[in-house]
Amino acid sequence: MTIRLAVRRFPCDMPLCGRRTFVEQVSGLTFRYGRRSVLQQSTLEANGRVLAGRTGTRLARMLCCPVSPNTLLNLLWADA
């Protein structure tokens, strides 16, 4: 499933700022530096917490959220 989302980009007027533009976040759907939706992220975190590794990867694939075993384990470490 693909979600097409249009967000606004805001330019930074500060000359010393390392970022050129900022993108607005959609509450409940996106989060900063996110590659997944909030729901998908929380589903994968719960999956990793309960099943981890290869078993969690198989379930994620069945839920159309293919990830590697390392990704699931990294989600666990990110929570800690």
Side-chain angles (χ1 to χ4, degrees):
M1 176 201 267
T2 302
I3 298 173
R4 286 179 96 49
L5 179 65
V7 293
R8 297 179 291 182
R9 287 192 168 273
F10 301 102
C12 183
D13 296 332
M14 302 287 287
L16 298 177
C17 182
R19 308 253 338 199
R20 298 226 183 259
T21 61
F22 296 89
V23 178
E24 72 179 328
Q25 301 298 311
V26 179
S27 136
L29 185 60
T30 61
F31 53 95
R32 196 170 181 184
Y33 302 115
R35 301 296 241 157
R36 303 175 182 92
S37 71
V38 175
L39 177 62
Q40 186 180 27
Q41 181 78 13
S42 62
T43 301
L44 288 173
E45 287 171 2
N47 182 5
R49 224 176 287 117
V50 175
L51 300 173
R54 290 183 185 154
T55 309
T57 300
R58 283 188 223 117
L59 177 60
R61 195 178 318 119
M62 286 186 231
L63 295 173
C64 297
C65 304
V67 292
S68 72
N70 287 337
T71 299
L72 285 179
L73 295 175
N74 287 336
L75 288 173
L76 294 177
W77 284 109
D79 266 356

